[in-house]
Amino acid sequence: MVYLKRYYRFHGLQEVGNPDGGSQSEKGAIAVTFDDGFGDNYRFAFPILKTYGIPATVFLVTDALDNRTLLWMHRLAYLVNACGGQAVVEAVEALSGERFRSSDGQPSMRALRERLTCRTPPKDRDELLNSLCEELKTWPEQSVEREGLYLTSAEIKEMTQGGIAFGSHGVTHTALAALSGRAQMDELRRSKRVVEEVAGNECPYFAYPFGEPRHYRPESQALVHQAGYECVVKVGGGWNPAGKAAALDRIKVEEEPLPAFASRIEGISLRSGLRGLRGSPPVQ
Ligand SMILES: [Zn+2]
């Protein structure tokens, strides 16, 4: 954040994506976003954002609010941590009769994850995960509240007062690609309503779960707007052109050392014609 604050300018998502916000023609305007609504956004990110006066938007998955449930991909991650990827893949193969193998025939967590993310309807996916927990005798649900994995309503209220905005990331964190038109609409509408209730702000932004092109359908963006959102946020990779945006790309922040992050951002800036924006090299 210190590095970005030094060389770029922070704005709320609203101002970056909207010409009426006043900053749309400003090159190098950055909006910070977080997905999934993790509790650590409150514990670790919020104090830093407050210290440096940086606005941000958090995209909530509404079923996970107040740690009411463990989202499906975190259930899966928990099982993998507890039992190992190979045991999980082999158990799913035994339950489903389907094979998830890499090209050299090894059990492939990646293939399983892809199948569950993009091509399995939520009901089938959740049933499979239930059976998997029984099969592996591991029940991750008990950990969610104890660990405070997700944000609570009280934390969200406090963050709202501290300048954080909230958007929707769906009800169940299901890729829109795995849903029918009607089910996509349901995710979009229901989550919007809950975010507006809990955060007490308008919810003009939707962030696609998983966010890459294979995770949504050609018609998804039209449905997002039909559900009342102004803008959809994806995982892309470049700067967004100035002007009112119906969709915004994002640059993912990886777990990487500052010099690697800085050169990645600089590379993207150079390719987008923002040469010389940063000026001098970053602090060591
Ligand atoms: Zn997500």
Side-chain angles (χ1 to χ4, degrees):
M1 289 300 108
V2 171
Y3 165 76
L4 288 174
K5 196 174 168 72
R6 181 159 178 178
Y7 298 108
Y8 300 90
R9 285 168 304 282
F10 285 108
H11 291 283
L13 202 49
Q14 202 97 17
E15 293 140 3
V16 169
N18 183 353
D20 305 326
S23 56
Q24 90 290 352
S25 57
E26 204 181 314
K27 283 186 172 178
I30 284 187
V32 177
T33 66
F34 299 88
D35 283 4
D36 299 347
F38 284 115
D40 61 8
N41 293 178
Y42 173 80
R43 293 193 291 276
F44 301 130
F46 184 43
I48 296 170
L49 296 167
K50 266 196 299 191
T51 301
Y52 295 101
I54 297 168
T57 302
V58 176
F59 290 100
L60 300 170
V61 182
T62 54
D63 263 1
L65 280 173
D66 293 310
N67 294 297
R68 279 196 298 259
T69 191
L70 184 62
L71 296 174
W72 75 268
M73 71 283 190
H74 300 144
R75 271 180 101 187
L76 183 63
Y78 187 103
L79 290 172
V80 171
N81 282 340
C83 310
Q86 184 171 341
V88 169
V89 172
E90 286 170 356
V92 173
E93 286 181 341
L95 287 164
S96 68
E98 219 176 309
R99 276 175 59 88
F100 302 96
R101 299 281 155 160
S102 55
S103 49
D104 59 355
Q106 294 302 306
S108 167
M109 209 37 232
R110 193 192 163 97
L112 172 60
R113 217 175 255 129
E114 194 65 16
R115 170 79 162 91
L116 291 177
T117 301
C118 298
R119 300 191 306 279
T120 311
K123 191 168 167 283
D124 300 348
R125 175 196 70 205
D126 294 343
E127 276 172 18
L128 178 72
L129 284 170
N130 287 341
S131 312
L132 191 58
C133 291
E134 295 295 329
E135 186 67 27
L136 297 168
K137 305 212 176 332
T138 308
W139 293 272
E141 280 68 22
Q142 293 148 357
S143 71
V144 60
E145 196 169 353
R146 192 179 63 226
E147 291 168 15
L149 189 59
Y150 307 113
L151 289 169
T152 65
S153 308
E155 288 165 346
I156 291 169
K157 287 231 156 54
E158 196 185 325
M159 290 170 84
T160 303
Q161 283 153 12
I164 308 297
F166 290 88
S168 166
H169 197 38
V171 177
T172 58
H173 205 288
T174 300
L176 297 189
L179 297 172
S180 68
R182 181 189 291 227
Q184 289 183 63
M185 204 44 144
D186 184 58
E187 283 270 333
L188 291 163
R189 288 212 167 117
R190 274 203 294 144
S191 59
K192 188 174 196 296
R193 209 162 42 231
V194 174
V195 170
E196 287 173 350
E197 259 166 42
V198 173
N201 61 205
E202 290 271 305
C203 180
Y205 291 95
F206 181 79
Y208 283 134
F210 304 98
E212 289 172 21
R214 68 181 193 283
H215 298 128
Y216 46 89
R217 290 171 183 269
E219 78 274 13
S220 296
Q221 191 169 322
L223 294 177
V224 169
H225 295 302
Q226 217 176 305
Y229 296 93
E230 285 168 25
C231 182
V232 67
V233 178
K234 325 178 198 190
V235 178
W239 288 92
N240 296 284
K244 191 169 175 65
L248 286 170
D249 272 345
R250 290 186 293 180
I251 298 166
K252 205 168 179 177
V253 180
E254 311 281 353
E255 203 166 329
E256 61 194 345
L258 179 60
F261 173 67
S263 59
R264 200 158 59 85
I265 296 284
E266 270 297 272
I268 295 167
S269 301
L270 287 172
R271 285 196 297 279
S272 310
L274 291 179
R275 182 186 295 273
L277 181 72
R278 201 188 64 180
S280 50
V283 232
Q284 293 306 304

